[in-house]
Amino acid sequence: MAAPPPHPFVYIDAAALHSLLPFPSLIAHLRAGLAHPELSAGGIQCPQRVSFPLPTAPSAALLLMPSWCAHPSLPYLALKAVTSFPSNSPRLPSVHAAVSLFSSATGAPLASIEGSALTLLRTAAVSALAASLLASPSHPPSVLALAGAGALAPYLAEAHLAAHPSISRVLVWNRTRSKSAELVARLRDANPGLAVEEVGGMDEAVAAADIVSCATGSREPIVRGELLRPGAHLDLVGSFTPEMRECDDEALRRGRVFIDFEAAMEEAGELVGAVQRGVFRRSDVAGTLAELAAGAVEGRRSDDEITVFKSVGTAVVDLLAAQLAYETHVAAAKGA
């Protein structure tokens, strides 16, 4: 296996990441990496994340998420370290992250990458990739509904807009109206000519949207499946524990369900709860994102079919996103 070419150790901050990882490039890179036959067939190793409680602050924790690959097309090892300090003041984020990138051939350190921005970018890109693979080619989406106005929301909007230039209208709902108003203003400023509206209820947004993208911490369903339009795509990002839930069972019953990785069956409250209630089985999952990207499973089967994509995220996409950021940085430095 060829080692990455020698290059001085680099630090890639959040501002640089946004320049190095524009959504069209990142979405295409994730698709190619996930579809690669050797990488998708176990070439990327991703052990279960490890969590350590920290006595330094109330409820503080350290999470470590390693991943590595020995294939010449991805000769890297990445370790994402995430700190959670819920007792931080409102002015200081409670979650911080950093990704350390090494050569998997030599173990040499290559880069330190700001982890929070990397996570936001790759999470949004995964959602947009799934939506693009499941969209109707004959009826391109024109209305996007966003549930949630947190840190991830603007990234989801921009990623879906990059993947679907046909989107001309964005509907925003959030329980805290001041935050949804801020998001509306931000999206309008960034996208002149795009119709961006705040809606008073999620039911209104779901009934009007071609793509419904949810990034909330809700423990009660905010998407009622009976309201999904024929041909709609439901993107569920927010839940990552069995207690969290963004849609009801009817959405899973009406939709054809895809997941990003197998971990979703253990971590996503929508799926875990539905299995426990006997309304959903693992065999009801139509495929994973890697299978979709590789063409190993059939995507949308008709214009009227409703599709559902549930993601929980893994270090696999951290590794692929870190690769693209590092290699793009190195190529730009050599060309300077």
Side-chain angles (χ1 to χ4, degrees):
M1 178 187 68
H7 187 274
F9 183 85
V10 298
Y11 173 66
I12 302 176
D13 62 16
L17 275 176
H18 286 84
S19 175
L20 294 168
L21 299 178
F23 278 120
S25 298
L26 181 55
I27 292 168
H29 183 71
L30 293 181
R31 179 174 186 173
L34 292 170
H36 192 293
E38 294 188 42
L39 302 187
S40 61
I44 300 177
Q45 301 299 312
C46 182
Q48 187 173 3
R49 70 191 73 177
V50 181
S51 178
F52 300 94
L54 298 176
T56 57
S59 302
L62 169 67
L63 289 82
L64 300 178
M65 287 163 272
S67 59
W68 61 86
C69 183
H71 193 273
S73 67
L74 187 59
Y76 301 103
L77 180 158
L79 175 65
K80 182 160 78 170
V82 180
T83 58
S84 176
F85 281 66
S87 61
N88 281 355
S89 69
R91 294 185 178 182
L92 183 65
S94 60
V95 177
H96 298 267
V99 175
S100 297
L101 189 68
F102 304 82
S103 163
S104 61
T106 67
L110 302 173
S112 178
I113 303 172
E114 205 286 322
S116 296
L118 185 80
T119 301
L120 292 168
L121 287 163
R122 62 83 158 155
T123 301
V126 163
S127 284
L129 172 58
S132 67
L133 291 171
L134 293 170
S136 169
S138 58
H139 290 83
S142 61
V143 181
L144 168 68
L146 293 174
L152 182 58
Y155 290 82
L156 282 169
E158 296 298 343
H160 283 297
L161 289 170
H164 299 286
S166 56
I167 293 175
S168 59
R169 185 182 178 209
V170 177
L171 307 176
V172 177
W173 174 85
N174 190 68
R175 285 195 174 96
T176 304
R177 297 295 293 271
S178 60
K179 287 189 175 181
S180 56
E182 291 175 7
L183 178 59
V184 167
R186 176 173 175 175
L187 293 178
R188 285 174 177 167
D189 289 343
N191 301 276
L194 179 68
V196 187
E197 308 164 31
E198 182 182 3
V199 294
M202 196 56 197
D203 284 359
E204 175 187 350
V206 172
D210 301 303
I211 297 176
V212 180
S213 187
C214 304
T216 73
S218 182
R219 289 173 176 258
E220 297 294 333
I222 56 175
V223 173
R224 292 198 292 149
E226 64 179 316
L227 299 177
L228 289 166
R229 298 174 59 178
H233 174 71
L234 175 59
D235 173 42
L236 303 169
V237 186
S239 74
F240 55 89
T241 71
E243 295 75 32
M244 303 170 75
R245 189 181 179 200
E246 292 185 305
C247 75
D248 61 11
D249 292 340
E250 182 66 7
L252 302 181
R253 187 192 68 78
R254 292 189 66 203
R256 191 152 162 262
V257 179
F258 296 82
I259 58 178
D260 61 344
F261 299 97
E262 287 297 329
M265 293 304 302
E266 300 177 2
E267 299 177 3
E270 298 90 351
L271 303 181
V272 172
V275 169
Q276 292 174 344
R277 289 184 291 274
V279 299
F280 192 80
R281 299 167 297 177
R282 173 60 186 87
S283 58
D284 292 326
V285 174
T288 66
L289 183 58
E291 290 170 332
L292 267 177
V297 297
E298 187 179 11
R300 175 177 294 276
R301 298 175 299 189
S302 72
D303 289 338
D304 289 339
E305 185 173 57
I306 293 171
T307 54
V308 178
F309 177 69
K310 174 57 200 166
S311 64
V312 293
T314 75
V316 171
V317 283
D318 288 327
L319 181 62
L320 289 168
Q323 175 198 21
L324 181 61
Y326 175 71
E327 292 182 355
T328 305
H329 174 89
V330 170
K334 287 182 177 179

